[in-house]
Amino acid sequence: THYLFNQDISGWDVSNVATGIYYKNIQKAFYDKILISWAAQTVQQNFELYAPGSTYSAGEAATARQRLIDEFNWIIDDAGMIK
């Protein structure tokens, strides 16, 4: 699935999405909310989140991102953390 718009999708229920999402250059504030919200859901294993050009904040967003990787085996491709 390809989403090429820059809006807040943190409210999406991705618990039943089995493949992946491509979401390019997400504003940091949106990306932080997405990571935090989705990490709070019971999501599918081995999901692929491609967010090239997108950065996230240290703290809660970084912890949420790592939870998705460690607990759900997500593959996340983004531009990394901004401190």
Side-chain angles (χ1 to χ4, degrees):
T1 304
H2 294 271
Y3 296 98
L4 298 175
F5 58 92
N6 199 16
Q7 297 178 11
D8 181 5
I9 61 170
S10 64
W12 284 12
D13 177 355
V14 294
S15 60
N16 291 315
V17 178
T19 56
I21 292 178
Y22 179 89
Y23 194 37
K24 184 177 180 181
N25 295 318
I26 308 166
Q27 291 177 7
K28 184 167 56 90
F30 289 157
Y31 194 43
D32 286 351
K33 287 175 66 175
I34 289 166
L35 293 170
I36 293 164
S37 174
W38 291 359
Q41 298 179 30
T42 302
V43 294
Q44 299 294 315
Q45 294 285 324
N46 305 312
F47 188 84
E48 297 176 5
L49 174 59
Y50 293 103
S54 306
T55 59
Y56 58 93
S57 301
E60 189 177 8
T63 300
R65 181 182 182 278
Q66 197 60 48
R67 178 176 186 256
L68 292 167
I69 293 168
D70 293 344
E71 294 182 26
F72 299 103
N73 200 38
W74 276 32
I75 298 167
I76 300 177
D77 182 7
D78 55 30
M81 181 173 54
I82 298 295
K83 296 181 181 180

